[in-house]
Amino acid sequence: MLKIDHVDMGYGDLQVLWDISFEVSQGEIVVLVGANGAGKSSVLRTISNIVPATKGNITFNGLELTQAQPLEIIENGVIHVPEGRLLFNEMSVEENLIMGSLSSQAKPHRKQSLEYCYDLFPRLRERRTQMAGTLSGGEQQMVAVARGLMAKPKVLMLDEPSLGLAPILVQEIFEIAQAVNQEGITILLVEQNVRQTLAFCHRAYVIENGRITKTGTGQELLNDGYVREAFLGI
């Protein structure tokens, strides 16, 4: 479904990704794990063509993403929920959600998608008229994920959705990701929370210093001695 093939990427003269290759199949939850600064978020930015690849190819269902504009990528169902939420703080919860449904694919389904998101996140229904900037961190993350779902994703790319959240909210966000996946949406997840994400993903890739160093099922990597020592402190 989504194929990243020998991709390099950098910011100006600073190269941050080297020869990145992996695949995401339809219906999977695939996780990119690694330390802060390893290049995980840069992979998602490159897939979205926010920062173009300097080498290699990225394809999604036959569409060459390295040659596509970000809007075209969104129209084709590859949706990126960025790190840090990036909400419109002076707009209401519902206005933020509507902003996620502006593409030609999503707009006709706006009413249905709003109800779906409010059912998935009941707290957002309660706060639908509240300014997004006044919400708690956990509620803001819910808005960010729901805004991504409003775009009718085929692949939902979540960048550090648990960052800065209390443990109980982290678990809730991961449960939502699993529920969304069970309804047919493919998930590509970037996370520092290695133990919890490996426990529920289908496959995972370890990124270190801009390179993929290990791959396997979540359980295989949880049992891997290097991963346990480097990321789990065991």
Side-chain angles (χ1 to χ4, degrees):
M1 189 178 194
L2 179 65
K3 184 176 182 180
I4 292 81
D5 190 24
H6 298 290
V7 163
D8 289 356
M9 187 274 272
Y11 300 100
D13 294 331
L14 177 64
Q15 185 171 344
V16 297
L17 298 179
W18 282 265
D19 201 36
I20 296 289
S21 294
F22 67 92
E23 296 184 3
V24 181
S25 298
Q26 186 168 352
E28 284 191 306
I29 299 176
V30 173
V31 179
L32 306 179
V33 298
N36 188 33
K40 306 183 304 297
S41 296
S42 294
V43 172
L44 300 193
R45 294 188 190 110
T46 306
I47 294 170
S48 296
N49 211 13
I50 296 169
V51 183
T54 55
K55 191 187 82 171
N57 295 290
I58 302 171
T59 55
F60 174 69
N61 287 343
L63 173 68
E64 177 62 66
L65 299 191
T66 48
Q67 304 299 322
Q69 294 298 314
L71 179 58
E72 185 181 1
I73 294 170
I74 291 169
E75 290 278 3
N76 278 273
V78 180
I79 307 302
H80 185 175
V81 178
E83 179 183 355
R85 299 147 196 165
L86 302 182
L87 303 181
F88 299 98
N89 288 330
E90 296 183 2
M91 295 170 64
S92 71
V93 167
E94 187 153 302
E95 287 168 337
N96 269 272
L97 298 188
I98 288 171
M99 291 297 288
S101 64
L102 298 182
S103 73
S104 62
Q105 298 297 314
K107 194 171 183 179
H109 306 281
R110 179 179 291 165
K111 184 176 180 180
Q112 178 185 359
S113 296
L114 273 172
E115 286 305 308
Y116 171 70
C117 289
Y118 286 142
D119 288 343
L120 200 59
F121 299 101
R123 273 177 285 183
L124 299 189
R125 187 189 298 274
E126 297 170 6
R127 292 160 173 74
R128 62 196 304 169
T129 61
Q130 188 172 333
M131 296 299 102
T134 66
L135 300 175
S136 69
E139 291 166 346
Q140 288 187 10
Q141 188 61 67
M142 292 176 191
V143 175
V145 174
R147 184 175 61 184
L149 292 171
M150 290 290 295
K152 302 296 287 185
K154 296 174 183 173
V155 173
L156 185 64
M157 304 193 298
L158 301 173
D159 192 353
E160 301 283 8
S162 73
L163 190 65
L165 301 186
I168 190 170
L169 292 176
V170 171
Q171 185 61 36
E172 185 174 350
I173 289 293
F174 288 161
E175 288 173 356
I176 291 294
Q178 289 177 281
V180 166
N181 175 252
Q182 288 168 4
E183 296 191 10
I185 297 175
T186 302
I187 304 286
L188 177 57
L189 175 63
V190 158
E191 259 297 334
Q192 291 184 57
N193 197 321
V194 175
R195 186 189 301 273
Q196 285 184 271
T197 49
L198 290 182
F200 72 79
C201 73
H202 296 104
R203 293 187 300 112
Y205 296 86
V206 176
I207 298 185
E208 297 179 279
N209 299 316
R211 294 176 171 86
I212 291 177
T213 58
K214 281 187 176 290
T215 183
T217 67
Q219 194 59 52
E220 285 171 348
L221 292 184
L222 275 174
N223 294 332
D224 183 273
Y226 174 76
V227 172
R228 291 168 66 85
E229 181 177 354
F231 298 106
L232 304 179
I234 299 174

